[in-house]
Amino acid sequence: MNQTDNKKDVIIVGTGIAGSLIAKLLTDHVFDTEKGKMIHRLDAKKPENIRELSVLMFEAGLQAGIKLDSVSSMTNYTEYIRTFYTEAAKVPNSPYPKLKPAPSPNILDMEKIVPPFPDKKGYLVQFGPMPFASDAIRVGGGTTLHWLGTTPRMLPNDFRLTKKYGIEINKPDSTEKAPIDWPIDYETLKPYYEMAEFEIGVSGDVSKQEYPISESREQYYGDYVFPMEEIPQSYMDHKIMNGLAGTSVTLNSEEIPLLMVPSPQGRNSIPNPKYGKTKIIKAETQSSGYKLVLDRSEKVEYKALGSVWNPYMGERCEGNASCVPICPVQAKYNALKTLKKALYKMNEKENLKRHPYLEIKAQSVVYRLSVDPADQDKISKVHVRRYVSKDKTDFVEEVINTSDSIVILAANAFENPKILLNSKYTVIEKGQKVEKTAANRSDQVGRNLMDHMVMLTWGLFPEPVYPYRGPGSTTNISSFRDGNFRSDFSAWISPLDNWGWSWPAFSPGSDLSAFLKDGLFGAELKEALATRLSRQVLFHFEIEQLPNPNNRVTINDQYMDPLGIPRPVIHYELTEYEKKAMQQAKLASDQMFKKLGIEDCTEYTEKDKNTFLYDKVRYSYNGAGHIVGTHRMGSNPDDSVTNSYCKAWDHPNLYVVGAGNMTTLGTSNPTLTLSAFTIRSVESILADLEIQLKK
């Protein structure tokens, strides 16, 4: 065992978007020893008074994935693309390394669960009764490498479901009800949404964002435009929009007008001249601590950020249509872009130079924290297993002393709770030894696992609409994102997908196979394929799931990975609230298909791995990849893991960040929201660092 005492100010576990944002923002700031304050490095006037922050990051993925010099990053990313081309199944994880020592959940491993026997095929151990249908990837940059890139904000009512609609959930192992409102509201998060949209580089048109909310567009966005102009909506989207313009659907005897909205997206388009100059996110000192702001003093024009290896590649979306699982040119944002900003800083000659105070250790799986026996509030050690290669399970055990460090868990919503649950320690209470797990006074670690359940409906448009072109989705139907019905069943958002039937029916391969079985060949086969593929339409209903303490990640020593670390054990089910929403979404789909003259080809069968009967009708769902809720933030330590700044209630030097902090899911893709509150958490981290560095 290697005991490391090389002191670091901050230790970050994970290089996904949460970890990379924190690393970038912290390394943009330095400690002014004369003022005793954290300041942005651009404001540092006297080098002799500056103390740099020392930051160490751990990444479970391969070393190649975090080599961000131009040659290495291009070589590595090109290998991802080559792998993607050769894989038969183009699922989200297909381009990326399959690591024996650090496996990832993969949707290809998902099986139907037959209780009481778990599905143990993949990395996740699934006890069900329903399968959790989403995956993630352990790689430099995290799951942003294969996200779609859609970036709507949450709506104001998403933060206050109890206050607005009276929704409450059971407390763990109890019939007693508990509220589910966030400890912060939309207004609090709004400036951080703007910072996240700047860092990601969001394209969109604020004037076209229509939502079923009581707030006006001015109240919701203020005097604001996105950094880049909207990505053009597809030809298919325009045909559907024209067919549904001015119409509505009827649900629960209520007429709901159809709102067709161009989706904000984290991919490059034309910089918006109204956005102004480029900006920096910097901390300002206030009486209560620090406040991050978007500083508008820079003189450089805002510019789309291209690929990690070449800023002039990927400056514009090229419409490659493979956003999930990989953008070939990196026009779509991924967290490696932010990580590179942390790793490379401008020197006095305005040249990029490798930052010597940020160290990233790859092939390093953090699996446990130690709580200091002498000070049981403090995290004193981080335990790491560093493996040799992707195909071998040899590892070196490393223990990092964190007594004088801030520890930040920034892994995904499977890995963060797994680490915490594996971090056991003993306390004496009333003369008795009691075993506890880190940050888990509330018994909420691992609980409230959520995802958007994706119900797909598909059919043939009466005329060609030419799918399979452009980004995966450029338009969404926002009509069902909020409304009084939420007291009865889930809200949802409905992206229009530009992928034909590739997701539900494996088109175009399945179409070719079917026509060949019918004996078609040559010109006849070509004509049949052209007719079918050009008319394929896919509607997509992302249905909100409520927090449920019984939907959870646990660990069990019976189920270990190749490094001898517990695998995530998943318990997951759907409630009446979500099942009824799927019924209502299908009714909405039926009405829209009828208005558009679409021949409905949707089929849910008993053979589907993720299927159920509701009111004697079969429905099937998919995962959205929106894994949230396993270390929720809250207003007090009795019902949450962290406060609203993602700081653990139980340990003053521990932060737990990422989608797991989300109290509820809402109807938006979670990446933008988790980025916003992660940026906000840096205010608290800077305040803690000030105290630490003054000692």
Side-chain angles (χ1 to χ4, degrees):
M1 181 184 298
N2 181 14
Q3 177 83 29
T4 302
D5 289 318
N6 183 17
K7 299 291 186 182
K8 301 291 182 182
D9 297 315
V10 180
I11 294 173
I12 303 172
V13 179
T15 65
I17 190 166
S20 295
L21 279 169
I22 290 175
K24 188 258 183 185
L25 292 172
L26 291 183
T27 54
D28 279 348
H29 290 81
V30 294
F31 184 65
D32 187 318
T33 56
E34 185 177 53
K35 296 178 180 177
K37 295 292 181 183
M38 304 298 305
I39 61 172
H40 196 279
R41 61 175 55 251
L42 293 180
D43 295 330
K45 305 302 181 185
K46 298 179 181 179
E48 65 272 16
N49 294 334
I50 296 309
R51 157 68 153 86
E52 293 275 2
L53 297 177
S54 177
V55 180
L56 171 63
M57 301 183 77
F58 288 109
E59 168 54 50
L62 295 179
Q63 183 71 31
I66 58 160
K67 287 185 175 179
L68 298 181
D69 61 280
S70 295
V71 174
S72 298
S73 59
M74 182 179 71
T75 301
N76 187 61
Y77 201 78
T78 301
E79 184 60 32
Y80 292 164
I81 296 168
R82 185 180 296 113
T83 303
F84 165 63
Y85 289 152
T86 58
E87 288 287 325
K90 312 296 187 185
V91 297
N93 285 3
S94 61
Y96 307 105
K98 296 170 179 59
L99 307 178
K100 186 175 182 180
S104 297
N106 193 317
I107 58 172
L108 295 178
D109 296 327
M110 186 183 68
E111 298 289 349
K112 182 176 286 190
I113 298 170
V114 183
F117 305 104
D119 166 24
K120 300 181 290 183
K121 180 181 177 183
Y123 172 55
L124 302 179
V125 180
Q126 299 233 38
F127 275 87
M130 301 296 293
F132 189 84
S134 283
D135 58 13
I137 189 71
R138 295 163 90 179
V139 67
T143 306
T144 55
L145 265 69
H146 69 50
W147 71 317
L148 177 56
T150 308
T151 55
R153 300 179 184 184
M154 289 180 70
L155 303 181
N157 284 342
D158 295 337
F159 295 87
R160 55 192 185 207
L161 289 181
T162 300
K163 181 178 180 181
K164 180 67 178 178
Y165 299 114
I167 300 172
E168 295 182 320
I169 61 168
N170 287 342
K171 291 184 176 181
D173 305 317
S174 171
T175 57
E176 186 181 350
K177 296 294 184 179
I180 55 173
D181 290 344
W182 288 56
I184 50 177
D185 58 16
Y186 175 78
E187 280 299 313
T188 300
L189 212 54
K190 185 158 65 171
Y192 305 96
Y193 271 129
E194 294 182 7
M195 296 179 208
E197 287 159 351
F198 165 71
E199 180 60 35
I200 290 171
V202 169
S203 301
D205 187 341
V206 167
S207 69
K208 296 180 183 178
Q209 301 303 304
E210 291 188 86
Y211 307 124
I213 58 179
S214 58
E215 293 82 2
S216 68
R217 189 179 291 115
E218 289 71 26
Q219 290 172 308
Y220 185 70
Y221 279 110
D223 182 17
Y224 179 74
V225 296
F226 292 118
M228 288 179 282
E229 296 179 0
E230 75 175 51
I231 297 288
Q233 293 166 282
S234 68
Y235 177 79
M236 181 196 76
D237 289 359
H238 282 287
K239 296 297 290 187
I240 293 172
M241 290 161 60
N242 292 339
L244 295 178
T247 67
S248 60
V249 300
T250 304
L251 296 179
N252 273 10
S253 302
E254 181 184 358
E255 289 288 318
I256 301 178
L258 293 175
L259 306 174
M260 316 292 285
V261 177
S263 301
Q265 302 183 50
R267 54 176 47 81
N268 289 334
S269 68
I270 299 170
N272 190 339
K274 295 180 181 178
Y275 188 73
K277 309 293 184 181
T278 192
K279 302 171 178 63
I280 58 172
I281 302 173
K282 63 184 292 189
E284 292 185 346
T285 305
Q286 297 191 341
S287 58
S288 58
Y290 292 94
K291 188 77 172 177
L292 289 177
V293 298
L294 262 180
D295 184 61
R296 303 172 185 272
S297 63
E298 288 292 283
K299 298 178 181 180
V300 182
E301 293 293 332
Y302 180 86
K303 187 178 181 182
L305 183 60
S307 71
V308 173
W309 61 89
N310 182 351
Y312 302 107
M313 184 176 187
E315 285 189 290
R316 302 288 183 271
C317 173
E318 298 178 1
N320 284 290
S322 64
C323 318
V324 177
I326 191 167
C327 174
V329 297
Q330 287 194 349
K332 180 187 71 175
Y333 171 85
N334 69 67
L336 292 175
K337 296 185 179 185
T338 297
L339 188 62
K340 186 163 186 176
K341 293 178 188 176
L343 271 171
Y344 291 89
K345 303 298 184 186
M346 287 284 188
N347 62 16
E348 63 278 1
K349 296 181 180 179
E350 296 192 354
N351 294 320
L352 284 177
K353 184 179 179 181
R354 179 69 165 79
H355 186 50
Y357 295 94
L358 173 61
E359 180 184 5
I360 307 178
K361 291 186 177 182
Q363 297 174 208
S364 301
V365 181
V366 173
Y367 70 97
R368 183 164 68 89
L369 309 176
S370 284
V371 175
D372 191 338
D375 180 0
Q376 294 189 333
D377 287 338
K378 181 172 285 189
I379 301 299
S380 61
K381 292 181 176 63
V382 169
H383 298 259
V384 188
R385 288 184 176 163
R386 304 190 68 194
Y387 59 89
V388 177
S389 74
K390 70 174 185 176
D391 299 315
K392 296 182 179 180
T393 57
D394 305 58
F395 65 86
V396 175
E397 187 84 14
E398 188 168 298
V399 180
I400 311 297
N401 186 333
T402 64
S403 298
D404 297 320
S405 305
I406 293 173
V407 178
I408 301 170
L409 294 185
N412 63 46
F414 292 137
E415 299 302 317
N416 277 348
K418 188 189 79 172
I419 293 168
L420 293 172
L421 292 170
N422 199 38
S423 303
K424 298 179 174 64
Y425 65 104
T426 302
V427 299
I428 304 297
E429 292 183 354
K430 298 179 181 179
Q432 300 293 320
K433 289 185 177 180
V434 178
E435 187 175 74
K436 295 190 174 185
T437 55
N440 202 20
R441 183 193 337 178
S442 62
D443 189 28
Q444 290 288 342
V445 171
R447 293 189 184 272
N448 307 299
L449 175 65
M450 292 175 277
D451 191 10
H452 283 123
M453 295 155 318
V454 178
M455 188 186 76
L456 302 174
T457 60
W458 58 98
L460 290 172
F461 208 79
E463 61 183 274
V465 289
Y466 307 109
Y468 300 98
R469 304 184 302 175
S473 179
T474 50
T475 302
N476 70 82
I477 304 172
S478 68
S479 310
F480 312 98
R481 292 190 62 189
D482 197 20
N484 291 328
F485 61 84
R486 291 179 90 172
S487 60
D488 191 27
F489 57 84
S490 301
W492 67 80
I493 193 171
S494 292
L496 303 179
D497 285 349
N498 294 323
W499 290 318
W501 297 355
S502 58
W503 192 354
F506 306 105
S507 293
S510 58
D511 304 290
L512 176 61
S513 177
F515 289 143
L516 287 173
K517 287 180 181 178
D518 291 340
L520 301 186
F521 188 74
E524 195 176 16
L525 173 61
K526 184 178 179 180
E527 177 63 25
L529 284 170
T531 300
R532 167 79 66 86
L533 295 174
S534 66
R535 297 192 297 129
Q536 289 182 354
V537 170
L538 178 65
F539 278 31
H540 172 162
F541 300 82
E542 290 189 5
I543 295 168
E544 177 183 26
Q545 185 168 33
L546 290 182
N548 178 345
N550 296 323
N551 286 346
R552 61 190 303 198
V553 177
T554 62
I555 58 173
N556 187 318
D557 288 345
Q558 295 181 53
Y559 307 108
M560 311 293 275
D561 72 12
L563 292 187
I565 300 170
R567 293 155 61 188
V569 177
I570 308 300
H571 303 265
Y572 187 72
E573 63 183 351
L574 309 183
T575 67
E576 169 88 9
Y577 187 80
E578 292 101 24
K579 290 178 180 179
K580 185 172 182 180
M582 295 187 77
Q583 177 195 60
Q584 297 298 309
K586 184 61 171 68
L587 291 174
S589 176
D590 292 345
Q591 293 174 63
M592 289 187 286
F593 274 25
K594 184 176 180 180
K595 294 176 190 296
L596 293 165
I598 294 174
E599 177 190 346
D600 195 347
C601 300
T602 306
E603 183 181 18
Y604 309 129
T605 73
E606 192 176 2
K607 293 181 180 179
D608 295 339
K609 296 172 183 176
N610 38 357
T611 189
F612 62 89
L613 292 173
Y614 181 73
D615 277 356
K616 301 180 180 179
V617 177
R618 183 166 298 282
Y619 302 91
S620 297
Y621 66 93
N622 298 271
H626 301 163
I627 309 164
V628 311
T630 52
H631 44 85
R632 66 194 316 210
M633 66 168 66
S635 300
N636 69 78
D638 295 327
D639 60 10
S640 57
V641 179
T642 76
N643 67 14
S644 66
Y645 289 93
C646 306
K647 184 173 181 175
W649 291 111
D650 297 359
H651 311 288
N653 68 328
L654 177 65
Y655 287 78
V656 191
V657 301
N661 292 97
M662 294 181 68
T663 311
T664 59
L665 180 53
T667 55
S668 57
N669 308 55
T671 302
L672 183 73
T673 296
L674 80 87
S675 299
F677 64 67
T678 295
I679 290 170
R680 182 174 179 267
S681 75
V682 172
E683 295 174 353
S684 179
I685 297 170
L686 290 173
D688 287 351
L689 283 168
E690 179 190 317
I691 295 170
Q692 183 172 298
L693 295 174
K694 282 181 175 179
K695 290 180 180 178

